[in-house]
Amino acid sequence: MRRIGRKEFIKYGGGLIGLGLLGKFARPSLAFTGVKETKWQAGKEASKRVDGAGTVADEHNKFAMVIDVGACIGCRTCQWACKKENNIPDTVSPPWIEVFEVKSDVSVTGHPSPQDLKKGATTSYTEAPLKGRWYLPVQCNHCDNPPCVKACPVGATYKTKDGIVVMDYDRCIGCRLCVVACPYNARRFNWWQAEIPADETNPLVPVRPLGVVEKCTFCIHRTRRGQLPRCVEVCPVRARHFGNIRNPESEVYKLLEANLGFRLLEEISTEPSIWYITRGKKWLQ
Amino acid sequence: MRTGIENYRQRLEQTALNPLAQTTPGYYTFVLFLAAVVAWGLYAYVIQLRYGLIATGMRDVVIWGLYLVNFVFFIGISHAGTLISAILRVTQAGWRTPVTRMAELITVVAISIGALMPLIDMGRPERVANLLLFGRFQSPLLWDIISITSYLTGSLIYLYLPMIPDLALMRDRLGDRASAIKRTIYTVMAVGWRNTPEQRHRLEKAIGIMAVTIIPIAISVHTVVSYVFSMTLRPGWDSTVFGIYFVIGAIFSGIASILIVMAIFRRLFHLEEYITEKHFRYLSYLLLSTLFLYLYLTLGEYITIGYKLEEEEKHLLELLMLGKSAPTFWFFVVGGTVVPAILLLIRRGPTIPRIVTAAVLINVGMWIKRFVILVPSLQVPLMPFEFGAYAPTWVEWSITAGAFAAFMLIFALFAKFLPVLSIWEVAEQAETETASSRVTEELRAS
């Protein structure tokens, strides 16, 4: 047998390693180009995975939410219903939904810029609705170009085919890069061990362990089974709407067709799945 | 005392090898003290493991803290070594020889300590294997892991290669003065070095290749460390200049670290003959030029965001320059750059204490600068939340103290096992210098 010389060994060995690396990284690195919509899940891995509560994504769906900030009265019913539904402990504060109170002298156009939102906005209010204020509920936007998914080093958060950005609590290493990357402050870290009485625990939603990140799941355990998210269900003024944006017959599709809408921080191209409309226009008198 | 070039080599060997064979009680006290601090840091980490990250001062808005400040700082001073010694070797600066070993050692120790910091910062440290099992190349954290491990491997090789002739020397010379275990270690590590021309040729070639390879790796390391921050949409981090800004900052604090380490070993190991004022002066020129580069980049960074004054960045600048972070920010500007620049520029008083004072101030300033880069940016929320607050707890301070103690401890132990001077290179350099001066004298005489 011919002996392989040092130079050849390096040449062929290096080539093999290079090919291996190319194979491993070539496809995911498409992600740098910010390919839109469902390309994010990098095919194979996502289809293997069963996300939240034993459900699998249906490719025909693309979930979206429409929030009518004109109608919202800032009652925070959604916030508390979400907290109960999703087993959010008191130690995770604020819970997944936060409602901001915004002064009415900003954003008369219905397109509040982040600058507008900063002015006079506050999270701590006691009475609502107040005259001359409007309310902005914010939660995970389930972006189509999610900065958190890009940042996650282990794929513990990923975009599914139906548009939901999911967390895998068993894989998360707690590095919190996603929290830093999220421009909407939508992610929460479990600083404490969650303690929820057994009779108040929703069995469909896992209680998160210490040291992992969590966030709104669009109530994956409900919406994948044809129900509405809890926040949409409980809204007393019907300010929240939810549905499949791919279906032209859906409520969300029609609402967006009939109304001018905006999404938060549109200038940074995260392509959120939550639209805001101003149908109520109650502050525009 | 014998002087003159005839005995140069003998004296050099004696000075360099003496600390390996003799140990003073002061050394043991110091090592014990450092070990105690490291143990205290470990205890704090056990507390953190038990209660989770709630033991730290980090919370939802300011989600990162001291650990990542230390991470950037240690990776920063790691540039001391390998990068600088490699650059000096490639440019064939002869005066580098007494300094390279220490510089390379700083690199290896600093990366090892620095790389631990993100692990300590993890919410679920027991899942660290997920980084390898499920690692995704899109994440800047993976870039860090790849470049830091390459840098550690590269600089370990780069530390080891020039040490081989010295290891052989210790194998041959220390004799009974070293214990049997030590001698076995030296024999194994010297890999049969007999100083043949063939071996020498190969060694020099290998060192040359490593020196050239290590420079781009070193630059990539601090570039991707900065990318962890600049790949996000945070005010103050969302910047294209961050890569080079961090690299220059790293070289800056790295040179300052070498100066401090040099001064300490010079005093403790009586290396006055080899590490002279000249070395401090030359390195201080490098230090001063990187200081100005760093100031220039800092100015450029803040003026571009300050001129446009976007909402978030306005908040950030207010916080930094007038608000709660102002004392630390201005300490960095005055104590970390202006005063050291004056000390380095106005050459009054004894040279070495003056330069070392500047170096210490620079390193304190650079640690603070990393804090100022990291924390205030996180304090500014991107949605209309309240501003975040951050006060490190005793756990974080203890782990930080433990990390610095571990850094010094590894140094202290290394200095007992291996020479902190590259003996053969120093001797070679001295021979070249005498030879060339003899030639000059002869030319003058004729």
Side-chain angles (χ1 to χ4, degrees):
Chain A
M1 205 180 106
R2 192 172 70 95
R3 278 188 65 192
I4 300 177
R6 189 174 55 167
K7 280 207 172 122
E8 279 167 302
F9 175 77
I10 292 173
K11 200 160 75 184
Y12 296 127
L16 273 177
I17 293 170
L19 273 178
L21 286 177
L22 201 68
K24 178 147 172 53
F25 294 128
R27 196 191 29 214
S29 63
L30 280 178
F32 287 120
T33 60
V35 181
K36 296 282 163 60
E37 240 182 78
T38 50
K39 299 267 167 59
W40 270 105
Q41 59 241 0
K44 245 194 326 194
E45 201 187 356
S47 58
K48 267 189 295 186
R49 286 175 96 158
V50 179
D51 344 284
T55 55
V56 179
D58 178 354
E59 271 181 65
H60 303 292
N61 285 341
K62 169 87 170 62
F63 293 125
M65 190 179 278
V66 175
I67 300 177
D68 185 352
V69 284
C72 179
I73 55 169
C75 64
R76 288 180 166 179
T77 308
C78 53
Q79 193 177 24
W80 297 106
C82 165
K83 186 175 153 72
K84 247 189 136 35
E85 174 73 25
N86 288 297
N87 300 333
I88 304 174
D90 292 343
T91 46
V92 170
S93 171
W96 293 353
I97 300 176
E98 184 55 291
V99 185
F100 297 107
E101 181 184 74
V102 188
K103 278 183 188 159
S104 66
D105 59 344
V106 296
S107 15
V108 281
T109 57
H111 291 258
S113 63
Q115 285 89 329
D116 288 339
L117 294 173
K118 274 276 152 52
K119 285 183 207 151
T122 166
T123 53
S124 47
Y125 57 88
T126 45
E127 215 182 311
L130 273 185
K131 204 172 177 328
R133 298 275 199 279
W134 60 282
Y135 299 89
L136 181 82
V138 174
Q139 67 213 63
C140 171
N141 274 286
H142 298 275
C143 309
D144 287 342
N145 181 18
C148 54
V149 170
K150 262 191 266 191
C152 180
V154 294
T157 188
Y158 55 99
K159 181 92 178 160
T160 57
K161 290 193 174 169
D162 52 7
I164 303 180
V165 175
V166 200
M167 270 300 302
D168 183 340
Y169 308 119
D170 296 330
R171 190 183 283 189
C172 175
I173 59 168
C175 71
R176 315 192 290 301
L177 192 56
C178 57
V179 185
V180 175
C182 174
Y184 302 102
N185 287 82
R187 290 177 161 265
R188 311 280 181 263
F189 186 71
N190 281 276
W191 300 100
W192 277 272
Q193 182 65 56
E195 277 166 17
I196 300 164
D199 55 328
E200 287 173 31
T201 309
N202 181 355
L204 289 175
V205 180
V207 176
R208 277 73 61 186
L210 179 78
V212 301
V213 172
E214 61 179 59
K215 65 167 197 66
C216 160
T217 63
F218 259 180
C219 278
I220 191 164
H221 57 287
R222 301 169 63 96
T223 48
R224 288 253 176 104
R225 297 188 170 106
Q227 286 174 289
L228 286 175
R230 189 69 183 143
C231 57
V232 175
E233 208 174 64
V234 298
C235 181
V237 291
R238 299 217 49 201
R240 285 174 176 268
H241 309 272
F242 186 85
N244 175 12
I245 196 90
R246 291 225 176 94
N247 178 6
E249 297 301 310
S250 67
E251 196 191 7
V252 282
Y253 191 95
K254 285 180 182 161
L255 277 172
L256 289 180
E257 224 176 18
N259 293 280
L260 274 177
F262 66 88
R263 292 182 289 180
L264 291 178
L265 308 182
E266 269 185 294
E267 70 276 18
I268 55 175
S269 302
T270 49
E271 308 286 337
S273 295
I274 297 185
W275 271 265
Y276 293 87
I277 57 168
T278 57
R279 201 163 49 150
K281 296 189 181 67
K282 67 180 161 63
W283 67 88
L284 271 182
Q285 294 134 34
Chain B
M1 200 177 166
R2 288 164 299 181
T3 47
I5 194 66
E6 300 77 39
N7 295 322
Y8 185 86
R9 201 173 180 123
Q10 208 179 340
R11 247 177 320 123
L12 170 65
E13 283 173 16
Q14 203 168 359
T15 324
L17 296 183
N18 226 14
L20 305 179
Q22 289 172 354
T23 311
T24 58
Y27 175 82
Y28 286 119
T29 325
F30 187 58
V31 164
L32 270 179
F33 168 72
L34 290 176
V37 180
V38 173
W40 178 252
L42 281 175
Y43 168 70
Y45 184 58
V46 170
I47 294 281
Q48 184 185 307
L49 281 180
R50 190 158 152 212
Y51 296 101
L53 287 178
I54 192 64
T56 70
M58 298 183 270
R59 288 300 176 269
D60 268 328
V61 180
V62 183
I63 197 102
W64 284 343
L66 276 199
Y67 299 144
L68 286 217
V69 173
N70 292 335
F71 169 62
V72 181
F73 179 80
F74 276 114
I75 300 293
I77 59 172
S78 80
H79 277 47
T82 303
L83 184 62
I84 290 151
S85 98
I87 290 175
L88 294 181
R89 200 186 289 274
V90 170
T91 53
Q92 300 191 329
W95 58 272
R96 70 168 197 278
T97 47
V99 184
T100 47
R101 175 76 41 84
M102 292 174 198
E104 287 151 18
L105 189 58
I106 294 179
T107 302
V108 171
V109 183
I111 316 176
S112 314
I113 304 276
L116 283 178
M117 286 294 150
L119 300 181
I120 293 174
D121 187 63
M122 273 168 54
R124 308 283 314 189
E126 81 282 8
R127 293 182 186 171
V128 64
N130 283 6
L131 285 168
L132 301 175
L133 296 173
F134 307 111
R136 291 170 75 257
F137 200 62
Q138 289 96 320
S139 172
L141 222 63
L142 253 273
W143 311 344
D144 265 7
I145 291 170
I146 292 168
S147 65
I148 288 174
T149 43
S150 325
Y151 192 36
L152 182 58
T153 318
S155 47
L156 269 173
I157 299 172
Y158 189 59
L159 173 69
Y160 173 64
L161 284 179
M163 217 151 60
I164 295 172
D166 287 351
L167 286 162
L169 184 78
M170 288 185 292
R171 175 196 62 197
D172 302 338
R173 296 289 160 82
L174 274 181
D176 296 337
R177 292 201 289 162
S179 61
I181 307 168
K182 262 190 183 177
R183 259 177 311 183
T184 322
I185 295 173
Y186 293 146
T187 313
V188 172
M189 286 182 73
V191 289
W193 178 262
R194 295 276 168 245
N195 205 12
T196 62
E198 171 77 17
Q199 283 179 330
R200 248 192 135 81
H201 173 69
R202 278 197 187 150
L203 181 72
E204 257 150 32
K205 202 169 165 189
I207 294 175
I209 292 172
M210 279 318 292
V212 175
T213 319
I214 213 88
I215 295 172
I217 298 180
I219 289 173
S220 84
V221 169
H222 226 74
T223 308
V224 297
V225 165
S226 86
Y227 283 173
V228 170
F229 305 105
S230 65
M231 291 293 155
T232 66
L233 294 152
R234 295 275 159 174
W237 294 357
D238 186 5
S239 156
T240 50
V241 83
F242 249 40
I244 186 71
Y245 190 30
F246 270 48
V247 170
I248 298 293
I251 298 174
F252 181 40
S253 59
I255 298 173
S257 311
I258 298 192
L259 281 163
I260 297 168
V261 171
M262 261 165 63
I264 293 171
F265 278 124
R266 183 178 189 258
R267 174 64 80 70
L268 288 180
F269 289 179
H270 313 292
L271 305 175
E272 285 85 355
E273 191 183 345
Y274 313 102
I275 301 175
T276 59
E277 221 177 89
K278 181 179 83 180
H279 297 98
F280 283 89
R281 242 185 313 118
Y282 283 6
L283 276 174
S284 81
Y285 298 150
L286 276 179
L287 187 64
L288 191 64
S289 40
T290 44
L291 187 150
F292 283 123
L293 263 177
Y294 196 70
L295 260 187
Y296 162 74
L297 285 166
T298 308
L299 187 74
E301 178 67 20
Y302 289 119
I303 210 163
T304 45
I305 62 172
Y307 190 87
K308 291 172 286 187
L309 220 57
E310 283 179 38
E311 190 71 11
E312 275 90 10
E313 284 166 346
K314 194 180 114 203
H315 288 304
L316 175 68
L317 287 187
E318 274 172 7
L319 198 63
L320 275 182
M321 300 188 174
L322 308 163
K324 277 195 180 143
S325 303
T328 40
F329 179 77
W330 292 111
F331 178 85
F332 154 71
V333 173
V334 177
T337 57
V338 176
V339 175
I342 295 171
L343 279 171
L344 294 173
L345 275 172
I346 300 173
R347 299 188 214 164
R348 293 264 168 78
T351 313
I352 296 176
R354 181 170 56 82
I355 293 173
V356 173
T357 313
V360 171
L361 276 175
I362 285 168
N363 259 343
V364 175
M366 284 308 282
W367 190 88
I368 287 172
K369 172 66 177 156
R370 268 68 179 251
F371 190 90
V372 163
I373 288 180
L374 203 110
V375 175
S377 273
L378 288 171
Q379 281 178 284
V380 180
L382 297 169
M383 287 280 112
F385 284 99
E386 308 281 326
F387 274 57
Y390 173 63
T393 58
W394 70 268
V395 171
E396 286 166 285
W397 286 120
S398 306
I399 291 178
T400 304
F404 278 91
F407 181 81
M408 290 186 264
L409 183 64
I410 300 175
F411 249 90
L413 294 178
F414 182 95
K416 275 292 146 202
F417 284 98
L418 297 156
V420 291
L421 282 186
S422 183
I423 301 171
W424 67 283
E425 283 184 295
V426 172
E428 210 166 65
Q429 180 60 25
E431 276 155 25
T432 331
E433 271 170 22
T434 11
S436 68
S437 65
R438 257 185 214 149
V439 172
T440 339
E441 271 167 33
E442 276 164 25
L443 280 175
R444 251 189 224 137
S446 68

